[in-house]
Amino acid sequence: MHKPVSLKELVGTQIIFPIMLVSCYWMWARTDWQDWYRILQFVLGGFLFVFFILPCLRMEKYKKESVDELAERNLKRADSICLKIIVAAMTGIACACAIMGHIHTLATAVIGWAIVLCILALAVIRTILFFLFDSTGL
């Protein structure tokens, strides 16, 4: 059965990667290492490997099909908005790092969490913006 690949599917599945990044960072940044973290890391790594292969196959199939120009234009618009958001967020994080570096010694943990959560928020915002733009047909 031939099921066409939509750009919504490809964009929606890209949220999984930042979720996995936040999960791994949570384990790495913890000061109390638990034995079951290693098992969870292997499970997440295996899932990530399999999940990385499947979207690559779907992307190849998408490239062979007819192109939805409106959806691709909407994705570019969402990406340009997200670029502006990430530049503003990283500028704020950099300024906060400069200030916190002199004040607090836990600045590296805060910086790491700020960056990782910013990546996750950006993936969610990108997906939401794309779905909104694509559903309204602007």
Side-chain angles (χ1 to χ4, degrees):
M1 187 164 145
H2 181 275
K3 182 183 175 209
V5 180
S6 69
L7 197 55
K8 280 187 178 182
E9 172 190 347
L10 295 175
V11 171
T13 56
Q14 289 179 355
I15 285 183
I16 299 297
F17 296 113
I19 291 172
M20 300 291 276
L21 175 69
V22 170
S23 302
C24 287
Y25 187 79
W26 172 76
M27 285 183 282
W28 295 334
R30 303 233 358 159
T31 56
D32 62 334
W33 180 261
Q34 303 292 327
D35 291 333
W36 59 273
Y37 288 174
R38 183 174 306 281
I39 296 168
L40 186 60
Q41 281 180 336
F42 284 128
V43 169
L44 286 174
F47 178 74
L48 188 60
F49 178 74
V50 169
F51 190 78
F52 184 73
I53 298 297
L54 294 176
C56 286
L57 295 174
R58 298 295 283 172
M59 181 65 82
E60 287 299 318
K61 187 175 178 183
Y62 176 76
K63 288 179 181 178
K64 292 177 184 175
E65 295 176 355
S66 62
V67 177
D68 185 3
E69 292 177 11
L70 180 63
E72 288 192 0
R73 195 171 15 158
N74 288 333
L75 181 60
K76 286 181 183 179
R77 238 176 31 172
D79 285 344
S80 70
I81 291 171
C82 287
L83 176 65
K84 293 171 182 122
I85 292 171
I86 197 71
V87 166
M90 289 298 133
T91 302
I93 291 171
C95 291
C97 292
I99 294 168
M100 286 177 56
H102 297 291
I103 297 171
H104 202 269
T105 57
L106 290 177
T108 55
V110 174
I111 295 165
W113 276 112
I115 292 171
V116 169
L117 292 176
C118 193
I119 292 170
L120 178 63
L122 188 68
V124 171
I125 290 169
R126 177 183 187 242
T127 304
I128 290 171
L129 282 174
F130 174 71
F131 284 163
L132 285 174
F133 291 157
D134 202 46
S135 67
T136 58
L138 295 174

